[in-house]
Amino acid sequence: MELNKAIKARIWIILLLSILTACSREPIIPAEPVMQDGVWTGTGEGRSGTILVRITVLEHRITDIVVVSQSESSFAQEAINGMVARALEKQAVLTDVDAISGATLTSGGMIAAINMAIRSALGQGDSGKTAYQDGSCDVVIVGAGGAGLTAAVQAASGGNLHVVVLEKQGILGGNTNYSTGGINAAGTQAQQELGIQDNPDLFYEDTMKGGQEKNIPALVRSLVDHAAATITWLSSLGADLSDVGLMGGSSVRRTHRPKGGTAIGPHLMKVLKEASSQPNIEIRTSNKVTGLISEAGAVKGVKVENADGSTYRLYAKAVVIASGGFGANLEMVTRYQPSLSGFATLNHPGATGDAFSWLADVGGSTIQMEYIQIHPTAEADNHILITEAVRGNGAILVNCAGNRFVNEMETRDIVSAAILDQENAEAWIVFDQSVRSSLSSIETYANQHLLTEGKDLEALASKAGLPASAFCATMERYAAFQKAGIDEDFGRSSTQMTSLLQMPPFYAIRVKPAIHHTMGGIRVDADMHVLRSDGTPVPGLFAAGEVTGGVHGANRLGGNGVADIVVNGKIAGQNAAGYAK
């Protein structure tokens, strides 16, 4: 018996030691997934359309990356090459940190395309998009640009509504991605801190005058009265709107933008994307709305096409159209404004005016469709918008003869017409190092290789092909006007002449007018209800942003476009949520 006890004791000791030994071992960790050999493809949305890449994996490493197709402009090739080099070096999924400065949208498209291919090689790939089926929500928003995401954040702010945003492109942002100037608002804290005297009434007068008094007064009144509160709201979401600049047609500095004059569009989209990351907001990209669903005269949802071509219906208690204008639909542009035939466009590829074909089915109406704005300063070769803020911070315009020909701070229609009257219908925007240092967005143009640079005025004239004697005389004459505070030639005010333009080095960008903004659109009231031709609202349907008409009249002031999308996007979101409840 004692022997049996001893044997049992030894067995227990052996078992205990086995357990302790096992517990002391390192836990078994699953191996990291490795890329499988083969050829893998991926797509992403760049600035001008879809980018398709093909990667080759050999012995579990990327050995080659080929850009099969892309529609990016020539300056973006450096970014494309840079992204390929980074992926080959990193041998892993890329992040936003890998993006190339100055080509954010192209970089983003390349990152998405390369990452899709890498994830496929890792066995994680979702080479297609989710194919949604019929469903419902409380509020559906068409378009994931500045107006759409502003409306989504506001509509979801109560926390008890399910909001779905539908975007036909593969990326968010629309034309907001390209916006550089800022957001106009009057009577803001930022203005007060900078000693700028402004008020909504002056803002109203400038906007009506800029629109040639063709604006709908109630829409302008609502815009100017709500703008300052919207700046405060955006700031509460994390936006930096502390810098206040001057744009053409404004009596005072009221264009709010990030510190240093950084482009407003990418910054605003970053803020809105982060604010949209909440449980009750769902964003579906590559989902194209093809029509509205109506019952008994009220809008009850939208018809949608998935990325794979299948379709579904999304029912909702309220619909907000924030799909943007039609500036990239050149057939539609010339139908309403034949004089613009042959003009380049500054719009993103998705700005095709799809929403206007849906309206007839529900009784909605349009207004002022013939009012289409050309922006005076688009870079002549690549059609890149050169923000009006460059002139607002002191730059001037000269023609091919080296002479000024217009008050550079006039409204866009006047400046554009003046450029079109010059030789080759083009001009040079000229500035010095002091202007460059005052406006961060100019660094984007430098990264895009758009600047012609000279160590002195003679050198700049030589590189730009301008007559040196005439150009230098123009610069000296302007400097004298700036010192005196009186522009004897074209009446540019002293507050608009912010630089002597005498600090080397000197810079110039060749510019031509291009299609920029469609002021006409869906008829709405101040609450952003879509209206029938008789002025009555279409139940359940709202709209905001460039897709609407009447806010800007015959000509939009710089800084009012982004003001329109955030102010009226917020109003549309608020009222759609109220209707849904």
Side-chain angles (χ1 to χ4, degrees):
M1 184 177 291
E2 291 298 328
L3 180 61
N4 289 339
K5 287 183 179 179
I7 292 172
K8 289 180 180 178
R10 289 184 65 184
I11 291 172
W12 280 112
I13 290 170
I14 291 170
L15 288 171
L16 180 60
L17 288 173
S18 299
I19 292 170
L20 291 173
T21 302
C23 291
S24 67
R25 292 175 185 159
E26 291 294 324
I28 298 174
I29 301 175
E32 288 289 329
V34 295
M35 288 182 282
Q36 299 302 305
D37 290 359
V39 177
W40 310 93
T41 60
T43 58
E45 295 299 321
R47 185 184 192 278
S48 301
T50 300
I51 298 171
L52 172 64
V53 303
R54 181 179 66 235
I55 71 172
T56 301
V57 178
L58 185 62
E59 295 183 354
H60 310 303
R61 289 184 59 80
I62 302 170
T63 58
D64 190 31
I65 299 177
V66 176
V67 180
V68 178
S69 65
Q70 54 95 4
S71 303
E72 304 303 278
S73 53
S74 58
F75 84 85
Q77 191 60 51
E78 181 179 336
I80 290 172
N81 295 340
M83 299 310 301
V84 169
R86 291 188 185 191
L88 288 169
E89 177 185 4
K90 192 170 181 180
Q91 293 288 320
V93 170
L94 301 174
T95 68
D96 290 344
V97 176
D98 297 301
I100 305 295
S101 176
T104 306
L105 298 175
T106 299
S107 295
M110 281 293 293
I111 287 172
I114 290 171
N115 285 350
M116 180 185 289
I118 290 175
R119 289 190 174 106
S120 294
L122 290 168
Q124 305 168 348
D126 176 14
S127 57
K129 300 285 184 180
T130 300
Y132 295 96
Q133 298 182 357
D134 291 357
S136 63
C137 63
D138 294 304
V139 178
V140 63
I141 295 168
V142 184
L149 290 192
T150 299
V153 173
Q154 179 60 42
S157 61
N160 58 349
L161 293 181
H162 178 203
V163 178
V164 175
V165 183
L166 301 172
E167 169 57 52
K168 73 174 183 178
Q169 301 290 104
I171 57 175
L172 311 184
N175 273 343
T176 307
N177 284 329
Y178 311 137
S179 179
T180 50
I183 305 173
N184 283 350
T188 66
Q189 182 178 344
Q191 285 180 310
Q192 293 169 15
E193 291 175 353
L194 293 169
I196 301 169
Q197 300 296 317
D198 195 13
N199 60 72
D201 290 338
L202 183 57
F203 185 9
Y204 177 89
E205 292 172 8
D206 287 344
T207 299
M208 293 296 294
K209 179 181 178 182
Q212 301 173 18
E213 306 294 333
K214 302 293 178 62
N215 325 55
I216 304 300
L219 298 181
V220 178
R221 191 74 253 176
S222 178
L223 177 74
V224 303
D225 286 346
H226 288 94
T230 304
I231 294 290
T232 301
W233 180 74
L234 289 171
S235 298
S236 74
L237 297 178
D240 172 13
L241 300 171
S242 57
D243 189 303
V244 185
L246 182 68
M247 302 286 262
S250 291
S251 299
V252 299
R253 291 159 56 201
R254 67 165 64 100
T255 307
H256 296 67
R257 58 201 183 192
K259 184 178 181 180
T262 301
I264 185 64
H267 177 70
L268 179 62
M269 285 309 303
K270 180 178 183 293
V271 170
L272 292 174
K273 286 176 188 176
E274 291 175 354
S276 299
S277 298
Q278 48 184 289
N280 56 330
I281 297 179
E282 179 186 355
I283 300 176
R284 302 178 183 178
T285 56
S286 299
N287 271 239
K288 181 181 180 180
V289 173
T290 59
L292 301 171
I293 300 170
S294 63
E295 296 176 7
V299 171
K300 297 293 185 179
V302 292
K303 303 171 187 176
V304 195
E305 181 179 294
N306 283 304
D308 64 3
S310 62
T311 61
Y312 69 97
R313 291 182 168 228
L314 182 60
Y315 294 90
K317 299 170 185 174
V319 174
V320 178
I321 300 176
S323 53
F326 57 95
N329 186 337
L330 299 183
E331 184 279 326
M332 194 170 177
V333 166
T334 54
R335 186 196 321 157
Y336 288 109
Q337 194 54 262
S339 64
L340 296 180
S341 177
F343 275 68
T345 183
L346 294 169
N347 289 254
H348 81 108
T352 50
D354 302 355
F356 299 107
S357 65
W358 314 333
L359 288 180
D361 292 339
V362 298
S365 60
T366 59
I367 187 173
Q368 300 179 341
M369 296 291 281
E370 71 278 13
Y371 292 152
I372 300 171
Q373 182 178 73
I374 55 175
H375 195 289
T377 55
E379 194 276 331
D381 294 319
N382 295 293
H383 314 307
I384 305 299
L385 172 66
I386 307 302
T387 176
E388 201 165 300
V390 179
R391 286 173 282 141
N393 280 35
I396 63 170
L397 292 168
V398 302
N399 58 21
C400 294
N403 301 317
R404 286 179 73 213
F405 54 90
V406 71
N407 175 351
E408 296 84 356
M409 295 307 294
E410 275 287 2
T411 52
R412 291 174 177 176
D413 54 340
I414 292 175
V415 178
S416 293
I419 293 176
L420 292 173
D421 280 343
Q422 306 308 306
E423 182 181 351
N424 299 326
E426 65 182 32
W428 290 86
I429 184 167
V430 179
F431 53 98
D432 67 353
Q433 184 60 42
S434 71
V435 174
R436 178 173 177 175
S437 298
S438 73
L439 195 65
S440 296
S441 59
I442 293 176
E443 298 313 306
T444 299
Y445 309 141
N447 292 334
Q448 295 170 336
H449 308 299
L450 303 183
L451 305 185
T452 298
E453 179 178 344
K455 65 179 180 179
D456 51 37
L457 291 173
E458 289 81 3
L460 181 63
S462 176
K463 289 187 176 181
L466 300 173
S469 58
F471 176 63
C472 291
T474 294
M475 298 299 288
E476 290 174 8
R477 183 172 176 82
Y478 180 79
F481 291 162
Q482 199 274 345
K483 288 179 182 178
I486 300 174
D487 178 5
E488 296 179 6
D489 290 340
F490 300 104
R492 184 165 171 166
S493 72
S494 59
T495 58
Q496 296 172 338
M497 296 190 292
T498 56
S499 174
L500 278 169
L501 301 181
Q502 291 186 328
M503 181 185 293
F506 299 92
Y507 308 94
I509 304 173
R510 189 166 65 92
V511 295
K512 303 187 78 163
I515 298 165
H516 183 48
H517 191 94
T518 49
M519 277 84 68
I522 298 173
R523 187 191 300 264
V524 292
D525 63 16
D527 292 324
M528 298 297 111
H529 295 113
V530 172
L531 301 179
R532 301 185 178 97
S533 56
D534 63 4
T536 59
V538 177
L541 188 60
F542 303 81
E546 193 176 349
V547 76
T548 66
V551 177
H552 307 293
N555 177 69
R556 177 174 70 77
L557 295 186
N560 272 3
V562 188
D564 178 16
I565 66 175
V566 292
V567 171
N568 291 324
K570 189 171 184 292
I571 291 173
Q574 177 177 324
N575 290 326
Y579 185 90
K581 290 176 180 177

